[in-house]
Amino acid sequence: MPVTLVVGAQWGDEGKGRIIDWLSSSASVVARFGGGANAGHTVRVGERTYKLRIVPSGVIAGVEHCIIGPGTVVSPSSLIAELESLRAGGVDVSHVWLSDLAHLILPYHIELDASSERSLGGAALGTTGNGIGPAYVDRAARTGIRAGDLADMPRCLEMLAARTQTARAAGAAVDLKVMTSDLTRHAQALLPHVRDTVSLLHDQLEAGKRVLAEGAQGTLLDVNLGTYPFVTSSVTVSGGACTGLGFGPKEVEHVVGVAKAYCTRVGAGPFPSELNDDTGEALRERGLEFGVVTGRPRRCGWLDLAALRYAVQINGLTHLAMTKLDVLDGFAEISVGVGYEGQDASAFPFVLARGAKPRYKQLRGWSQPTSGARAWEQLPSAARDYVEFVESHTRTPISYVSVGPERSQIIVRPGAPQLS
Ligand code: GDP
Ligand code: IMO
Ligand code: MG
């Protein structure tokens, strides 16, 4: 069973990129299964910081194949820009493959995303503005254009003309001439990367190669199981890896959920443990909590264990990776949400929409910096207690603890998935 799945266990930005980068050293294939350039995955190697949007984070470690899977939605111009910037940074992108089944995000999707947000006014979702929702709408409506369509440009341009008409009727002010010439140019740049990734993946699985499935966004942004309608438009939970890449559950060995030692959220929607006070501000400053994609300040709050337990259940997490423990250094006391006042925490996700207020348990903090720790024993005892408390509450081993953004700032605990 050579697949390890990595998913966000909160509202996104948990540090999936850095965990994937770390796991990539013993994987052959890293494959993104959903979403698009709404994601921003950060990988820090020494002085260099890479911000990946749709290209799998394994590209930095140099795995054999990086797959952008059938479940994704991809803007040609944005992917080309990302590949160019990686190339300019000395990263080999010749083994980045875009599934022929992935859907294209075109300028009218971006226009429609913006106009939908405008029309929602105060109820806007706070999307990243990348056209994600409208592109998935086209997929479900069976009016999408796929990367594989770029191989037959005359037909593809006919489809583009037809879709443009519909999009214009829906209010998108787009220029077909400009889109036609752009897409023709983009097709030339992208076609060398477009292929049938499903058979590539199965060839690799049959050869016993280790595959990492890279999740984007987070569990509570899942279109089915998240805090709907304040979600993204894709399946972000582990089950989405099978449909988003084209393999069956029997291939999966480990499911790693990545969670911060606290919580953040970008965009609108329920967030019971949010702190609109100095403590929230301190978390934002210490954790540098500003969106990779939009630069928006992230909303910050304490860890919500009821929500994390839900993530454990619906993803079938076998392991947790806790990131940003160092951000909690110096708090005299740390609060952890262990349920909701007067509410049944099992009524997810509706309980969040009903304005749930967390019940907190106070744990002691620690004053020593954790960022230099490389082994479990080097962490202050209160920090170890904190991790163990989360572990016991979620009934899931926390196999990785990160104490800084750098590749080396990670503590691997006994029982962590062995990939090699
Ligand atoms: P992703 O979308 O889940 O990959 O996460 P993002 O890259 O959007 O956000 C995570 C941010 O936290 C990035 O800036 C990382 O460099 C940073 N980061 C990751 N792990 C740690 C950690 O353990 N400590 C600190 N201080 N920063 C971290
Ligand atoms: P990574 O992979 C955090 C949020 C947006 C918005 C909602 C819908 O970096 O963790 P969309 O543009 O997808 O239609 O926006 O989803 N969102 C994310 N929040 N991290 C992400 O990705 C996100 N991708 C989408 O802020 O609330
Ligand atoms: Mg991110």
Side-chain angles (χ1 to χ4, degrees), residues 66-414:
C66 282
I67 293 176
I68 302 170
T72 61
V73 284
V74 178
S75 152
S77 59
S78 156
L79 173 56
I80 290 166
E82 188 173 343
L83 291 172
E84 269 167 15
S85 123
L86 285 166
R87 236 182 252 120
V91 178
D92 178 9
V93 295
S94 60
H95 51 289
V96 172
W97 307 118
L98 170 61
S99 165
D100 49 2
L101 301 176
H103 278 249
L104 298 183
I105 298 187
L106 293 156
Y108 47 80
H109 293 127
I110 291 169
E111 288 261 332
L112 293 172
D113 190 356
S115 62
S116 159
E117 286 285 88
R118 273 195 305 273
S119 70
L120 284 167
L125 308 180
T127 72
T128 61
N130 282 281
I132 305 295
Y136 278 117
V137 166
D138 265 356
R139 185 179 79 168
R142 294 150 293 178
T143 51
I145 301 178
R146 294 177 293 175
D149 292 319
L150 296 173
D152 180 353
M153 220 41 206
R155 189 172 154 275
C156 185
L157 293 177
E158 272 172 30
M159 292 164 83
L160 181 70
R163 306 301 177 252
T164 301
Q165 250 184 357
T166 319
R168 277 195 185 136
V174 281
D175 184 331
L176 180 58
K177 245 193 182 159
V178 173
M179 279 195 299
T180 301
S181 83
D182 285 352
L183 194 59
T184 309
R185 202 161 26 85
H186 293 155
Q188 282 178 358
L190 281 188
L191 276 170
H193 293 276
V194 177
R195 69 187 279 181
D196 164 11
T197 61
V198 174
S199 25
L200 169 66
L201 185 71
H202 283 277
D203 290 346
Q204 297 294 308
L205 289 172
E206 272 162 37
K209 298 289 180 79
R210 285 280 173 187
V211 174
L212 276 179
E214 174 168 349
Q217 291 75 52
T219 295
L220 292 158
L221 292 173
D222 182 90
V223 68
N224 298 312
L225 295 151
T227 51
Y228 190 91
F230 299 100
V231 293
T232 190
S233 299
S234 58
V235 176
T236 63
V237 296
S238 60
C242 291
T243 56
L245 292 171
F247 65 85
K250 71 176 167 56
E251 310 291 352
V252 179
E253 186 171 15
H254 309 291
V255 187
V256 179
V258 186
K260 281 177 191 169
Y262 51 99
C263 275
T264 63
R265 173 166 203 167
V266 207
F271 178 4
S273 62
E274 181 172 14
L275 294 166
N276 289 308
D277 58 9
D278 290 350
T279 309
E281 193 51 46
L283 287 171
R284 182 156 38 249
E285 270 173 28
R286 295 181 199 187
L288 302 174
E289 295 295 356
F290 297 90
V292 174
V293 177
T294 57
R296 289 179 288 179
R298 295 176 181 149
R299 301 158 63 192
C300 296
W302 295 122
L303 187 60
D304 182 339
L305 287 177
L308 192 55
R309 176 94 188 108
Y310 176 65
V312 166
Q313 291 174 329
I314 66 178
N315 287 291
L317 298 184
T318 57
H319 302 79
L320 277 165
M322 181 188 276
T323 58
K324 303 191 106 164
L325 186 66
D326 55 302
V327 175
L328 296 184
D329 295 354
F331 282 100
E333 227 177 34
I334 298 166
S335 302
V336 192
V338 292
Y340 304 112
E341 279 173 14
Q343 302 243 34
D344 179 1
S346 68
F348 253 84
F350 276 104
V351 66
L352 297 195
R354 287 199 295 260
K357 288 206 172 24
R359 274 188 293 113
Y360 287 114
K361 184 172 166 59
Q362 262 70 43
L363 302 181
R364 68 189 171 112
W366 54 91
S367 51
Q368 310 93 303
T370 55
S371 56
R374 295 293 175 274
W376 178 245
E377 300 71 36
Q378 292 168 359
L379 287 174
S381 71
R384 292 199 304 259
D385 289 349
Y386 183 75
V387 175
E388 282 172 348
F389 181 80
V390 176
E391 210 163 36
S392 68
H393 208 92
T394 54
R395 285 175 250 150
T396 308
I398 299 182
S399 301
Y400 306 96
V401 178
S402 79
V403 290
E406 245 291 326
R407 212 177 236 176
S408 61
Q409 290 177 299
I410 192 159
I411 296 169
V412 182
R413 298 180 66 208

